[in-house]
């Protein structure tokens, strides 16, 4: 992991930019319609720290419940994320710690969208 000092926050992409010029949203990356990710640190998709922004009403990109081959930590900074499977929603300060294979999702962002910090840790590293 790269050592970094505090940096200035980057503005989140404007809603519906996914249908416009995506280059204006850099360094945010469009993961799927309405779901953006800003890479903070880490060498791979299973070992990283990112910010994610879900545009208002954005829906999980898959129709299946989600599992991962890595440990995932998520904290909501702003907004609401609804879990369609559980029929529950979470807002600012909500925290999840998911082991490898834990089932979760499908999700829909609330009316204001959802802004989250996500950390992915390879399972073998978490055992140490």
């Amino acid at each position: 992991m790269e050592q970094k000092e505090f940096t200035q926050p980057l503005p989140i992409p404007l809603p519906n930019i996914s249908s416009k010029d995506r280059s204006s949203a850099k360094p945010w990356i469009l993961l799927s319609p309405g779901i953006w990710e800003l890479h903070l640190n880490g060498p791979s998709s299973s070992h990283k720290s990112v910010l994610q922004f879900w545009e208002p009403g954005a829906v999980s990109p898959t129709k299946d419940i989600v599992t991962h081959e890595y440990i995932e930590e998520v904290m909501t900074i702003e907004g609401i994320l609804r879990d369609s499977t559980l029929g529950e929603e979470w807002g600012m300060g909500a925290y999840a710690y998911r082991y490898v294979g834990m089932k979760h999702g499908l999700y829909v962002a609330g009316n204001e969208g959802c802004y989250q910090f996500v950390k992915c840790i390879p399972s073998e590293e978490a055992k140490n």
Side-chain angles (χ1 to χ4, degrees):
M1 301 293 259
E2 183 181 337
Q3 179 173 300
K4 294 182 180 183
E5 186 51 83
F6 287 106
T7 61
Q8 292 299 318
L10 295 165
I12 58 176
L14 297 173
N16 299 318
I17 198 169
S18 54
S19 61
K20 300 176 186 172
D21 178 18
R22 290 185 208 157
S23 65
S24 66
K26 287 183 179 177
W28 289 85
I29 298 166
L30 185 64
L31 297 179
S32 68
I35 303 172
W36 296 86
E37 187 169 276
L38 176 67
H39 183 88
L40 299 173
N41 211 340
S44 70
S45 61
S46 65
H47 192 176
K48 66 182 179 179
S49 296
V50 299
L51 292 175
Q52 281 189 353
F53 176 67
W54 292 54
E55 293 179 18
V59 179
S60 297
T62 175
K63 300 295 181 204
D64 298 320
I65 291 176
V66 180
T67 63
H68 304 291
E69 294 300 315
Y70 50 84
I71 293 169
E72 180 182 55
E73 286 185 89
V74 181
M75 178 166 270
T76 301
I77 299 167
E78 288 182 358
I80 299 286
L81 197 63
R82 292 184 186 96
D83 186 315
S84 302
T85 304
L86 297 178
E88 295 187 40
E89 64 181 32
W90 293 276
M92 185 173 75
Y95 172 78
Y97 185 91
R98 301 179 180 123
Y99 285 114
V100 171
M102 181 180 166
K103 296 177 181 176
H104 57 288
L106 304 166
Y107 297 110
V108 178
N111 294 337
E112 301 154 14
C114 186
Y115 189 42
Q116 299 181 315
F117 174 79
V118 180
K119 183 173 183 174
C120 302
I121 307 160
S123 59
E124 62 275 2
E125 187 174 308
K127 294 174 186 172
N128 297 331

